[in-house]
Amino acid sequence: MASDSSSDDAAGEAPGRPRPAWQRFILKFFGWVFGLAFAGLFAVLTIAGVALAVAYPNLPDISDLSDYRPKLPMRIFTADGVLMGEFGEERRNLTPINEIPAVMKNAVLAIEDARFYSHSGVDYKGMMRAGIANLGRAKSQGASTITMQVARNVYLSTEKTFTRKLYEVLLTFKLEHQLAKDQILEIYMNQIFLGNRAYGFAAACETYFGKPLKDITIAEAAMLAGLPKAPSAFNPVTNPSRARARQLYIIERMEENGFITAAQAEEAKKQELHVRTGAQTTAIRAEYIAETVRQLVFAQYGDAAYTRGLNVYTTIKADQQEAAYRALRKGIMDYEKRQIYRGPERFVDLPNDPKELDDAVDDALAEHPDNGDVMAAVVLEVGPKKIVAVRGTGERFDIVGDGLNAARSGLSDKATPKIKIRRGAVIRVMKTPKDTWEITQLPEVEGAFVGVDPRDGSVHAMVGGFDFNKNKFNHVTQAWRQPGSGFKPFIYSAALEKGFSPSTIINDGPLFFGGDVTGGPPWEPKNYDGKFEGPMPLHTALAKSKNMVSIRILQAVGTQNAQDWISRFGFDPEKHPPYLTMALGAGSVTPMQMALGYSVFANGGYRINPWLITRITDQKGKALVESQPPLLNESMRAIDARNAFVMNRLLQEVARVGTAARAQRELKRPDLYGKTGTTNDSIDTWMNGFQPTLVAIVWMGYDTPRSLGDRETGGGLSLPVWVDFMQTALKGVPIMEPAAPEGLVNVNGEWYYEEYARGNGVASLGLSGDTGSSDAPRSPPPRISGSSGEQAPGNPNDRSMLNANGMPPPVPAAPTDERRSILDLFRN
């Protein structure tokens, strides 16, 4: 029994035997681990719950994102829908998601969030990396999803703290819950900053490539998709090499994610991109117009004009605006080639190390950006027959032969240090038509161009100067300059109302006015060539721009009468004092005033106002303002239709055989009319001309008035610009020569007021022509002579008294005292 009892006791002790120490240790360890883990999890959940309870109510209301309306700039367009300018803090073109090309969306998804349409908005691995980076006081490298970026960019700051990250995650969930994926992507594609003041990919496409987003290519989309990460570091303008490397990586990502094929990827890698490197961000150069429109719209809407997304449509025609810009710049640069070389713009020390050299060139050219086709470059090597230079793009090129002509003085051994071209010189260069390079320089001279439709006043083109960024002064509307001979037609027009006709003979002879007449120093006016041709018909005098004839006409008309008359054309009388110098254009006008003045001739005698803005809409296209000019009517009449018609015939002769003969010769059409203008000492040059559908004015001169050169004239300097513009503007425009209005008679090819023609005995000679009802009887034309020792008035042998038909003009039976005094005063 004892043995059995011992056996039972031994068997009973086995189950209760103490566990080995190592087992107890393991059990305790895991017990504590699981306990702590549970406690930690509970704490985290509790903290998260508390944080969520505190933070969630403070999250911003995102309901407004369902109707996303960011700050949108004012955008200004031509009549044919071409963007001319944007004004606002943010350059943005709001584009609905269904109008964003698939290639652009795919490029963004490939690099930013390839799983965008499958995840719930948060990349947890990226969150963990961001948290660890914050603990280590490092910059976060986490891959935020597109939804998280929207949350951050729209509502949150850029600080990198756990609090901000928490709000970002919570806001991300809220966005994903309340908005559809396409809505989130649309906000991202329009909101993200992409450098150069561009927000959203539509604006970036226009900024960097000068094209609408709908026309973007795979290569261009990949370049833009690389910008969100670092708009400055991957900017294709300032960092082309880094931008190129990121573009290639994105193309590979697009291929890996199945957005493009291998063949498309290869083609995209080979595509050469044309990135805009200057300040120009629109398809055409129209900065002066855009600024004018901005001022007009701001006066109406105030600061809201820059954030409401207003679309402003104008009367500008894109092809004519571009033609005007190019023609004026060409005219100015052609003039600049005839000027003395003023030397490089700057000198820099260039290191020999290639990498340091590139940095030095970039730094030097950063302060000397390209000016359109007038580009900046740094000289690397100089020789008597060749210069090697480099542009900011890294392009190296040689300048040889005729390309050195403009700067020969800077290559001379005797050149002063200021103009000596040497290594490190910052110079200006242009491409020639032969695709070679030539040295040039930024011009000091300025110019202006304006084109107006005389039928309604719509402005078709306006260029206020050589370069808006260099000089924002709008010479079209702000520059008061002497018009010179271009003002003579308005004096001639006044003469027609006083009885003159195209065939009235006037003496081109010397004139002298003593101090007793001028009230100051004596005045002895001259013709441009210093010669006098004697008696000639009025139409010939205008074609040859004879100063003596214009003065004699003004003498006969009366300076006060003439001052009153020119106000009919829109000129300010106080800018044209009633002195005889008015006949030579010694007053002050703006190019816009000249355009409106010549429009009176072009449209048959009606005074118009300039018209620029046709329509203003909101960002959705709803019309806010619409305007139309008044139709021409008799309440707008400035001069008799007969006066306008006869003046057009005179101006047509100027454009055919006179000082503006180049116009009809090169454009090969008869319906061109105009008058050149050159002021004393060639300080201002003009070409004022029109075709019945378009008036165009060209002015050139220095802002601080000084001579353009002894041989510079309106015909040589401004007329070529006018012709270049009209080559484009009149393409496809049919020839238009207006019919004569009632009350005119054609005699031997010349047009006369009917009452004057009858006074000359035309009717009795049986000469027929267009006739019609006439106005009240007018006094017959005066006889104007000018040289001393002339025969008595009325003597048939006095050729200065004969008109174009070889007949003496009628002598009034009893001229008025005013007429008699005028004739007596100025007869030599």
Side-chain angles (χ1 to χ4, degrees):
M1 294 292 294
S3 60
D4 292 340
S5 177
S6 297
S7 298
D8 291 341
D9 290 341
E13 289 176 2
R17 189 187 314 169
R19 297 179 183 275
W22 63 271
Q23 288 184 356
R24 293 196 302 273
F25 174 79
I26 291 176
L27 290 174
K28 289 181 180 181
F29 174 78
F30 281 105
W32 278 103
V33 168
F34 286 119
L36 290 174
F38 179 79
L41 178 61
F42 179 78
V44 169
L45 292 175
T46 302
I47 294 173
V50 172
L52 183 61
V54 173
Y56 199 84
N58 293 324
L59 291 177
D61 181 13
I62 66 171
S63 60
D64 57 338
L65 282 184
S66 60
D67 186 21
Y68 175 59
R69 293 184 182 181
K71 289 182 179 180
L72 295 174
M74 173 171 57
R75 295 164 61 84
I76 301 170
F77 298 91
T78 64
D80 33 358
V82 178
L83 180 67
M84 292 191 294
E86 288 182 297
F87 294 93
E89 295 179 2
E90 302 174 356
R91 182 182 293 130
R92 179 186 281 110
N93 183 7
L94 185 59
T95 308
I97 190 66
N98 58 353
E99 295 180 15
I100 299 176
V103 64
M104 187 71 255
K105 290 185 284 188
N106 291 339
V108 170
L109 294 176
I111 191 63
E112 293 293 331
D113 193 353
R115 297 178 55 251
F116 172 72
Y117 281 99
S118 59
H119 63 58
S120 60
V122 175
D123 182 347
Y124 297 102
K125 292 181 179 179
M127 275 184 58
M128 292 179 63
R129 286 196 301 267
I132 293 171
N134 267 309
L135 286 173
R137 295 184 177 273
K139 296 294 184 183
S140 173
Q141 301 299 316
S144 296
T145 65
I146 284 178
T147 311
M148 295 173 73
Q149 292 184 58
V150 169
R152 180 169 61 248
N153 292 329
V154 176
Y155 291 109
L156 303 176
S157 67
T158 57
E159 64 176 341
K160 295 180 178 178
T161 65
F162 285 111
T163 302
R164 201 271 304 163
K165 197 68 177 178
L166 174 62
Y167 273 95
E168 180 180 316
V169 172
L170 295 178
L171 192 55
T172 296
F173 285 130
K174 191 171 184 179
L175 287 171
E176 288 276 347
H177 177 69
Q178 295 189 16
L179 300 180
K181 285 286 188 179
D182 278 350
Q183 286 179 295
I184 296 172
L185 186 59
E186 177 180 306
I187 295 170
Y188 177 84
M189 301 290 284
N190 284 282
Q191 181 72 21
I192 195 73
F193 176 63
L194 300 171
N196 286 28
R197 286 184 49 238
Y199 287 79
F201 288 93
C205 191
E206 292 173 346
T207 298
Y208 293 108
F209 302 122
K211 63 196 298 186
L213 186 60
K214 65 183 179 65
D215 297 330
I216 200 167
T217 65
I218 294 174
E220 292 166 341
M223 181 67 77
L224 296 184
L227 290 169
K229 182 177 181 180
S232 177
F234 299 115
N235 190 306
V237 176
T238 57
N239 287 296
S241 58
R242 294 188 66 181
R244 171 64 173 167
R246 185 156 176 81
Q247 176 213 28
L248 295 177
Y249 173 66
I250 293 174
I251 292 174
E252 292 174 357
R253 290 281 298 164
M254 292 177 73
E255 182 184 356
E256 290 172 6
N257 283 278
F259 293 133
I260 58 175
T261 65
Q264 289 175 316
E266 191 64 26
E267 182 181 355
K269 292 177 181 179
K270 294 179 180 178
Q271 182 184 342
E272 180 181 356
L273 300 188
H274 300 284
V275 179
R276 287 183 168 178
T277 57
Q280 176 65 15
T281 59
T282 55
I284 60 173
R285 302 302 296 257
E287 296 94 334
Y288 290 97
I289 301 168
E291 173 59 19
T292 300
V293 173
R294 181 199 69 79
Q295 294 177 23
L296 294 172
V297 176
F298 178 79
Q300 177 72 24
Y301 293 95
D303 290 335
Y306 306 135
T307 59
R308 288 184 57 178
L310 298 178
N311 294 315
V312 186
Y313 295 90
T314 67
T315 59
I316 298 297
K317 294 191 174 181
D319 59 337
Q320 293 187 22
Q321 177 63 27
E322 190 65 15
Y325 172 79
R326 294 187 181 280
L328 183 62
R329 279 182 68 96
K330 182 179 184 300
I332 290 175
M333 292 310 299
D334 286 347
Y335 168 79
E336 190 59 43
K337 292 176 182 179
R338 303 193 289 272
Q339 307 311 301
I340 296 173
Y341 186 60
R342 297 183 292 275
E345 296 179 13
R346 180 186 175 188
F347 297 96
V348 296
D349 294 326
L350 297 180
N352 293 321
D353 180 81
K355 184 176 181 180
E356 294 180 0
L357 175 63
D358 291 342
D359 292 339
V361 169
D362 289 342
D363 292 342
L365 296 183
E367 299 178 9
H368 300 268
D370 291 346
N371 188 304
D373 54 354
V374 183
M375 295 166 277
V378 176
V379 174
L380 300 179
E381 301 174 21
V382 183
K385 296 183 179 181
K386 184 175 78 169
I387 289 177
V388 179
V390 61
R391 292 187 56 218
T393 58
E395 176 187 6
R396 296 195 180 201
F397 55 91
D398 297 341
I399 308 172
V400 297
D402 292 341
L404 300 172
N405 288 344
R408 290 291 181 188
S409 59
L411 296 173
S412 170
D413 293 336
K414 299 179 180 179
T416 63
K418 182 180 178 181
I419 69 169
K420 180 72 173 178
I421 299 177
R422 57 182 182 271
R423 177 178 166 84
V426 178
I427 61 173
R428 291 285 167 173
V429 296
M430 291 181 68
K431 269 291 187 70
T432 69
K434 297 181 180 179
D435 201 34
T436 59
W437 292 94
E438 64 179 356
I439 294 181
T440 186
Q441 56 190 346
L442 286 174
E444 294 180 342
V445 72
E446 276 293 355
F449 182 98
V450 60
V452 174
D453 188 332
R455 299 167 296 182
D456 58 15
S458 57
V459 180
H460 286 187
M462 184 170 74
V463 185
F466 178 77
D467 178 59
F468 181 78
N469 295 315
K470 175 178 169 234
N471 186 352
K472 293 178 172 55
F473 184 78
N474 190 338
H475 297 82
V476 169
T477 58
Q478 296 177 288
W480 291 93
R481 309 294 296 215
Q482 290 188 338
S485 298
F487 202 72
K488 290 176 181 176
F490 305 106
I491 305 302
Y492 278 59
S493 172
L496 294 181
E497 296 303 303
K498 293 295 184 180
F500 284 75
S501 75
S503 298
T504 300
I505 301 297
I506 307 173
N507 187 27
D508 177 33
L511 285 169
F512 177 82
F513 303 92
D516 57 330
V517 175
T518 65
W523 182 42
E524 187 175 8
K526 302 287 185 183
N527 287 320
Y528 173 76
D529 58 6
K531 301 177 182 178
F532 305 99
E533 297 187 34
M536 63 177 59
L538 180 143
H539 65 88
T540 301
L542 184 62
K544 294 185 175 183
S545 197
K546 292 295 184 178
N547 291 339
M548 302 304 102
V549 173
S550 296
I551 294 172
R552 286 189 166 91
I553 290 176
L554 183 55
Q555 290 172 348
V557 169
T559 55
Q560 189 60 59
N561 290 335
Q563 187 188 46
D564 294 340
W565 183 257
I566 65 171
S567 67
R568 293 169 174 258
F569 297 86
F571 297 110
D572 300 333
E574 63 272 16
K575 297 284 189 181
H576 303 269
Y579 306 130
L580 290 177
T581 51
M582 190 196 314
L584 307 184
S588 296
V589 299
T590 66
M592 180 62 82
Q593 282 189 332
M594 292 295 278
L596 300 179
Y598 272 80
S599 292
V600 175
F601 294 139
N603 64 27
Y606 300 95
R607 181 175 170 180
I608 57 172
N609 292 315
W611 177 46
L612 186 56
I613 297 177
T614 62
R615 183 165 50 102
I616 301 177
T617 72
D618 63 16
Q619 53 117 347
K620 293 186 176 181
K622 179 183 178 182
L624 303 177
V625 174
E626 290 185 299
S627 67
Q628 290 292 332
L631 298 175
L632 296 181
N633 59 78
E634 288 306 307
S635 68
M636 302 165 63
R637 181 163 292 284
I639 62 175
D640 192 320
R642 299 181 302 173
N643 188 304
F645 182 84
V646 173
M647 283 305 306
N648 287 355
R649 300 289 288 187
L650 297 179
L651 293 171
Q652 188 177 37
E653 182 174 347
V654 177
R656 185 176 68 253
V657 297
T659 57
R662 179 174 179 173
Q664 290 197 21
R665 184 176 66 249
E666 293 196 10
L667 295 173
K668 302 185 187 316
R669 54 189 301 155
D671 58 339
L672 301 176
Y673 315 78
K675 182 72 185 74
T676 57
T678 309
T679 62
N680 279 352
D681 300 322
S682 297
I683 290 176
D684 300 274
T685 68
W686 297 78
M687 173 56 192
N688 316 279
F690 59 89
Q691 190 268 350
T693 64
L694 183 62
V695 174
I697 306 295
V698 180
W699 166 84
M700 288 179 63
Y702 289 100
D703 279 341
T704 302
R706 70 175 192 262
S707 176
L708 290 162
D710 293 340
R711 303 177 65 85
E712 302 295 350
T713 65
L717 201 53
S718 296
L719 177 58
V721 176
W722 191 91
V723 171
D724 282 353
F725 167 77
M726 286 296 194
Q727 292 277 14
T728 296
L730 296 181
K731 281 182 179 178
V733 177
I735 293 175
M736 302 171 62
E737 294 188 85
E742 292 184 352
L744 289 175
V745 177
N746 188 290
V747 180
N748 295 333
E750 288 294 346
W751 291 93
Y752 300 83
Y753 283 21
E754 184 180 16
E755 56 268 35
Y756 299 153
R758 287 173 178 170
N760 275 315
V762 172
S764 64
L765 291 174
L767 299 175
S768 61
D770 295 336
T771 61
S773 60
S774 61
D775 296 332
R778 306 176 187 220
S779 58
R783 296 171 293 173
I784 308 297
S785 63
S787 60
S788 59
E790 290 179 338
Q791 299 179 21
N795 185 338
N797 294 321
D798 182 1
R799 303 304 297 177
S800 68
M801 296 293 100
L802 301 183
N803 62 22
N805 301 316
M807 301 171 55
V811 179
T816 64
D817 291 340
E818 180 185 7
R819 176 58 53 80
R820 191 188 303 261
S821 65
I822 292 174
L823 294 177
D824 291 343
L825 180 62
F826 295 106
R827 182 177 289 119
N828 292 332

